Amino acid sequence: MGKQPNLFAFPSVDLLAPTLRTYILHAQNAGIQRHEIFKVAVSGGSLPKTLAAALLAPASGPDDVIDFSKWEIFFADERAVPLTHEDSNYALLKTELLDKIPAGMGTPTVHPINAELLDDVQELADQYEKLLVASFAQRDSVKLPIFDLLLLGCGPDGHTCSLFPGHPLLRETDAWVYPIEDSPKPPPKRITLSLPVVTHGVKIAFVATGGGKKEILKKIFEEGAGLPCALVNEGAGRGAVGLWTTLRWRGSVSLGKAACECSLDSQGAISASPRRLSGECGEEECKAW
Ligand SMILES: O=C(O)[C@H](O)[C@@H](O)[C@H](O)[C@H](O)COP(=O)(O)O
């Protein structure tokens, strides 16, 4: 069984967005304090839309400032398609978030793949690694890049980035970025951060939306089962893994017998480790999750 992440579960993306924003804001401020920049890696899937809901909301006060001018955005994984292609994670992020950033919030530095190298995914991965080296220092002096935050999705099979269950890439540790040509999720050709890079982040968060994720999340955090998301959770050396989900954890007693340690905010959203949602506190909302 893996380490238990901090779980933040909400009935909807609208209710999830404000606390995800607060989490990202803390990571942003810590990054800026550390090195005057915020280095973040993002995945594709449903994440960009959820990020937009979290980040584009009006600031609630002077301390709630998302300063995109300090953001350096990398892709945790990317599909080997043109940057305008409907399968491109860059295109998705651009449409959902980047194009909607108001002028007053600053302009992030974004690092898409080199779309001239789509025919050679090894070269595509190597070039993306070089880009990381240029940003995170020379390869010789840094064993692994340290992202301030990795914002990851969680696939219905337990994959994350383009690291798929049972795939040999999960055992690769030499490079920072790998090509994959047989992704079970289309399109087949992609590049992905390696598992050691992902687990080396200062903060790592899975953002999993939709009721369809319930069974796989239980498997990831109850059994581990060598699933990529579980390997990230187990290997995360620096910071706790956060898990944002829109699941209702009905019947969640099966997640653990520990005394309930949930905390409910004013909107009825639950914060806890999954194993601590036992309902033993007697709170109706907790029992219902
Ligand atoms: O390019 C990709 O395919 C994504 O980076 C992938 O790893 C995604 O994050 C998960 O499949 C979850 O996707 P959903 O959020 O859409 O379920």
Side-chain angles (χ1 to χ4, degrees), residues 43-47 77 79 89 153-155 159-161 185 190 213:
S43 282
S46 56
L47 178 72
D77 69 326
R79 294 95 178 271
N89 283 343
C154 167
H159 81 258
T160 191
C161 304
K185 179 182 178 183
R190 298 155 168 251
K213 300 278 168 73

Side-chain angles (χ1 to χ4, degrees), residues 38 220 222 239 259 276:
F38 177 47
I220 290 165
E222 280 188 344
R276 300 302 168 90

Side-chain angles (χ1 to χ4, degrees), residues 27-278:
Q28 170 202 267
N29 293 346
I32 293 172
Q33 202 169 22
R34 250 192 317 273
H35 42 214
E36 292 181 358
I37 191 106
F38 177 47
K39 298 191 184 213
V40 58
V42 298
S43 282
S46 56
L47 178 72
K49 202 180 174 81
T50 308
L51 281 184
L55 300 173
L56 299 179
S60 62
D63 294 332
D64 180 29
V65 178
I66 300 290
D67 182 0
F68 282 114
S69 70
K70 298 276 171 50
W71 283 47
E72 202 173 341
I73 303 179
F74 298 85
F75 290 84
D77 69 326
E78 178 58 289
R79 294 95 178 271
V81 295
L83 297 177
T84 50
H85 193 280
E86 60 176 14
D87 285 337
S88 159
N89 283 343
Y90 169 77
L92 185 67
L93 189 74
K94 184 170 181 311
T95 312
E96 294 291 350
L97 176 67
L98 303 176
D99 287 352
K100 297 179 184 164
I101 297 175
M105 290 181 85
T107 305
T109 302
V110 184
H111 296 288
I113 53 168
N114 182 344
E116 287 174 10
L117 304 172
L118 299 178
D119 292 338
D120 184 347
V121 270
Q122 179 66 62
E123 185 60 15
L124 192 66
D126 290 348
Q127 286 298 322
Y128 207 73
E129 179 170 300
K130 282 194 180 131
L131 203 145
L132 292 182
V133 170
S135 172
F136 285 87
Q138 292 308 309
R139 179 74 192 269
D140 289 346
S141 59
V142 182
K143 199 165 161 257
L144 288 166
I146 305 173
F147 286 97
D148 295 310
L149 174 64
L150 292 118
L151 288 162
L152 308 175
C154 167
D157 57 353
H159 81 258
T160 191
C161 304
S162 289
L163 298 167
F164 291 88
H167 198 282
L169 271 189
L170 290 172
R171 294 191 296 274
E172 296 290 354
T173 54
D174 289 341
W176 292 0
V177 183
Y178 281 99
I180 171 168
E181 301 201 54
D182 58 355
S183 162
K185 179 182 178 183
K189 293 187 178 185
R190 298 155 168 251
I191 63 165
T192 182
L193 295 180
S194 68
L195 186 60
V197 169
V198 174
T199 55
H200 212 56
V202 177
K203 277 179 183 280
I204 306 164
F206 292 112
V207 184
T209 54
K213 300 278 168 73
K214 178 175 176 177
E215 290 312 315
I216 195 67
L217 287 177
K218 283 179 70 173
K219 194 168 175 188
I220 290 165
F221 296 111
E222 280 188 344
E223 301 168 28
L227 294 168
C229 287
L231 295 176
V232 171
N233 184 41
E234 287 155 19
R238 290 173 167 268
V241 173
L243 168 59
W244 273 261
T245 176
T246 54
L247 296 182
R248 283 187 176 274
W249 289 78
R250 288 188 193 284
S252 61
V253 186
S254 65
L255 282 169
K257 303 275 184 289
C260 187
E261 289 187 6
C262 78
S263 76
L264 300 170
D265 72 12
S266 56
Q267 294 176 316
I270 293 215
S271 307
S273 149
R275 290 181 57 75
R276 300 302 168 90
L277 291 181
S278 66

